[in-house]
C-alpha cells in the first residue's frame, strides 16, 4: 500500500506538531508519524494516572482532528530515502511518498554506565519520568534522581507528584556553575518561572551539587546507590541521566550532513532549517538540544518552509535565535566532570544487549573494530544506548553518529512478516544530495 | 481517573492498571523482571521511550514488543523472559 502526502512529518513532539500545523495552514496534505501511541513527544507525554494535568492535549486533538492532517500513531519509520519512507504500524508495512519531509525525531537520554546500572530498578532520569507518566507504580517508593541538567528537576517533580519519596537529587555540576546559570535566566522569564516553580514544588527535597552515582548495589534489583563521596543511600528506584542526545538514525540514512554537538552529533541545517538533502528539513532536538520552546519555533519554521511559505518561516528567525541562545547555556553550565566518566569502570557492562564490558571495548581502536570483535552495538537497540555512551566516554573514534558508516535500514528492528507483506526488503541507504549546504547555523549562535 | 481500569494477564497473574497505562506499567506490578540478558541477568526498563529495548516482552504471542510503547488493553496476555 502506497500513500501520498505533500509534507511528511516524522515525530509528533512539539517540533513535529508545530510543523504539521504550519504546513497544514498553507493547505498542504500532511502526514504525521510517531512510534508512540499518542502525540506529544517527550515533554507532552500524556499522564495515565493524572489525565487532568495534560495542558497540551486540547491543542493536539484540535490539530489531529483537522481533515488535512493524517495521523499515524504507534507507527515507526523504519527506512527512508528521497521521496519516500517505509512505515511499520501494527505489523504491517506502509509506503509513504512525500513532497517534503520534516525530521522531528527528537532526542534520547545520555545514559552512562556504572557498576550495577543494569539492575532492575535503575532507569534514566527522563526514563523514570516517562515510565511514571505511563502508570509505572511509584507511590511510596524511595527514589534517587541523579545525573545532570534541568531534566532532573522535572523528573523528580513528576515522581513526587505521583507519590514517590524523592530522597535526593544529585547534580554532578558544581554549585558555582549552577549559580552562574541561574544568573542568566532573567533574560528568559518563562524559563525562570519554570525553574522557580519546580524548585518550590521540590522544596523539601535535598538538592546536592557536585555529587554523582558511582555504583548501584543489589541482588536482582537495586537497593542502594553509592555516591562519589562514598555515601550509600537506600533506594527502591534509581534514576540517572546525563542530558540528551539527538536521534539521528533517519537523518543519517537519508544522507543528511551532520555536525558535532558536544561529544555527539546533530543534523546540520541552514537558516530555513533545510538539511543538506533536497526537500528534507529538520527541527527541534534533532538539530541540537534546545528544549521545548526551541522545538516549537523550529517546527513551525520547518513546516512553513516545507509547504513553500518561505516568508512565514523567515519571520520566525528572531524567535528561533532567542531560543537557541538559551540552549547554548546548557552545555557550558552542565558540562560533565571527567570524574563522572570514571564511574564507568572496565568491569561495567557498556552494551546491555550483548553484555559487553567496557574493558573489552578498550582493546579496540574504534567503534567499528569494537563492534566486529565484541558484538557491542549489534543487539536489539542497535547501539542507541552504548553508542552514545562510548562517544562520551571514549571520544569521536567511538561515536557511531560521527563515523562515516551510518546505520543501515531498518532503523528499528522490524518483523520480517511486515516486510514480506509489503513485498520488499529494505533498500540500501541512498547517496547524499550533490548540492553542498551553503549556510549553516553553528550550535547556539544567532543566525 | 476517568475511564475504567484495564485488566491484563502477566505470566498468569491478573493485573489491573489505569486506562492509558503502558504494558510496562502492568508488568512492573506483577513480574520481578521483564527479560533476561544473554548472560542470564534480570533486566527491566531503562529509557521509558522505546530506545533501549530492555522492556521487551511477548504480548498476545508476538515476541519482542517494547512494552513501554504499547498501551495496555483489556485481556492482553503478556509473557516475560523470552
Ligand atoms: C525522556 C525525556 C523526558 C523529557 N522531559 C522533559 C520535561 O519534562 N520538560 C522539558 O521541558 N523537556 C523535557 N525533555 C526534553 C524534550 O526533548 C524537549 O523539550 C522536547 O520534547 C523536544 O521536542 P521535539 O519535538 O524536538 O522532540 P520529542 O519531543 O522528543 O519528539 C520526537 C518524537 O519523534 C518520535 N520518533 C523518533 N524517531 C521516530 C521514528 N523513526 N519513527 C516514528 N517516530 C519517531 C518519538 O517517538 C517522539 O515522540 C525530555 C526529553 C526526554 C528524552
Ligand atoms: S524501556 Fe527502553 S525501550 Fe522500553
Amino acid at each position: 500500500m502506497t500513500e501520498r502526502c505533500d509534507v511528511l512529518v516524522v515525530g509528533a513532539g512539539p517540533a513535529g506538531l508545530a510543523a504539521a500545523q504550519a504546513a497544514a495552514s498553507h493547505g498542504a496534505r500532511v502526514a504525521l508519524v510517531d512510534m508512540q501511541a499518542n502525540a506529544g513527544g517527550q515533554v507532552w507525554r500524556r499522564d495515565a494516572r493524572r489525565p487532568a494535568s495534560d495542558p497540551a492535549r486540547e491543542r493536539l486533538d484540535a490539530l489531529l482532528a483537522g481533515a488535512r492532517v493524517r495521523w499515524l500513531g504507534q507507527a515507526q519509520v523504519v527506512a527512508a530515502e528521497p521521496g519516500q519512507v517505509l512505515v511499520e504500524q501494527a505489523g504491517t508495512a506502509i509506503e509513504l511518498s512525500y513532497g517534503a519531509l520534516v525530521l522531528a525525531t527528537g532526542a534520547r537520554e545520555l545514559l552512562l554506565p556504572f557498576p550495577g546500572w543494569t539492575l532492575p530498578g535503575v532507569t534514566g532520569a527522563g526514563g523514570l519520568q516517562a515510565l511514571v507518566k505511563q502508570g509505572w507504580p511509584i507511590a511510596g517508593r524511595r527514589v534517587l534522581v541523579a545525573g545532570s541538567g534541568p531534566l532532573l528537576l522535572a523528573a523528580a517533580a513528576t515522581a513526587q507528584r505521583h507519590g514517590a519519596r524523592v530522597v535526593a537529587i544529585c547534580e554532578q555540576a558544581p554549585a558555582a556553575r549552577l549559580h552562574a546559570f541561574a544568573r542568566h535566566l532573567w533574560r528568559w522569564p518563562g524559563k525562570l518561572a519554570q525553574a522557580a516553580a519546580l524548585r518550590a514544588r521540590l522544596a523539601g527535597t535535598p538538592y546536592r551539587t557536585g555529587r554523582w552515582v558511582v555504583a548501584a548495589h543489589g541482588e536482582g534489583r537495586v537497593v542502594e546507590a553509592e555516591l562519589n563521596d562514598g555515601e550509600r543511600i537506600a533506594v527502591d528506584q534509581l534514576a540517572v541521566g546525563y542530558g540528551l542526545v539527538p536521534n539521528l538514525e533517519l537523518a543519517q540514512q537519508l544522507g543528511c550532513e551532520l555536525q558535532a554537538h558536544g561529544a555527539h552529533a546533530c543534523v546540520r541545517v541552514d537558516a530555513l532549517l533545510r538539511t543538506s538533502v533536497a526537500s528534507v528539513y529538520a527541527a527541534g532536538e534533532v538539530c541540537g538540544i534546545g528544549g521545548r520552546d526551541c522545538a516549537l519555533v523550529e517546527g513551525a519554521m520547518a513546516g512553513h518552509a516545507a509547504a513553500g511559505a518561505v516568508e512565514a518561516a523567515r519571520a520566525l528567525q528572531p524567535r528561533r535565535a532567542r531560543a537557541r541562545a538559551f540552549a547554548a547555556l546548557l552545555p557550558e553550565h552542565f558540562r560533565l566532570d571527567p570524574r563522572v566518566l570514571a564511574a564507568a569502570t572496565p568491569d561495567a557492562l557498556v552494551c546491555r544487549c550483548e553484555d559487553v564490558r567496557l574493558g573489552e571495548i578498550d582493546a579496540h581502536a574504534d567503534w567499528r573494530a569494537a563492534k566486529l570483535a565484541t558484538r557491542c552495538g549489534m543487539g536489539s537497540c542497535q547501539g542507541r544506548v552504548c553508542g552514545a555512551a562510548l562517544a562520551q566516554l571514549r571520544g569521536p573514534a567511538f561515536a557511531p553518529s560521527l563515523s562515516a558508516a551510518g546505520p543501515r535500514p531498518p532503523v528499528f528492528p522490524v518483523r520480517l512478516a511486515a516486510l514480506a507483506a509489503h513485498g520488499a526488503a529494505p533498500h540500501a541507504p541512498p547517496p547524499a544530495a550533490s548540492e553542498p549546504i551553503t549556510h549553516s547555523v553553528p550550535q547556539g549562535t544567532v543566525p | 481517573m476517568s475511564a475504567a481500569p484495564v485488566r491484563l494477564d502477566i505470566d498468569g497473574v491478573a493485573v489491573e492498571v489505569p486506562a492509558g497505562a503502558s504494558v510496562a506499567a502492568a508488568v512492573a506490578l506483577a513480574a520481578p523482571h521483564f527479560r533476561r540478558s544473554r548472560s542470564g541477568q534480570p533486566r527491566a526498563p531503562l529509557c521509558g521511550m522505546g530506545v533501549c529495548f530492555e522492556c521487551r516482552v511477548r504480548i498476545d504471542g508476538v515476541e519482542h514488543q517494547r512494552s513501554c510503547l504499547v498501551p495496555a488493553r483489556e485481556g492482553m496476555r503478556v509473557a516475560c523472559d523470552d
Side-chain angles (χ1 to χ4, degrees), chain A residues 56 70 139 143 179 304 338 360:
Chain A
R70 160 111 155 88
V143 177
H179 293 145
H304 287 308
E360 297 173 58

Side-chain angles (χ1 to χ4, degrees), chain A residues 131, chain B residues 45-55 66-69:
Chain A
L131 290 163
Chain B
L46 173 70
C47 75
M49 55 178 284
V51 164
C52 74
F53 287 71
E54 288 281 30
C55 68
R66 282 165 283 170
S67 58
C68 70
L69 288 182

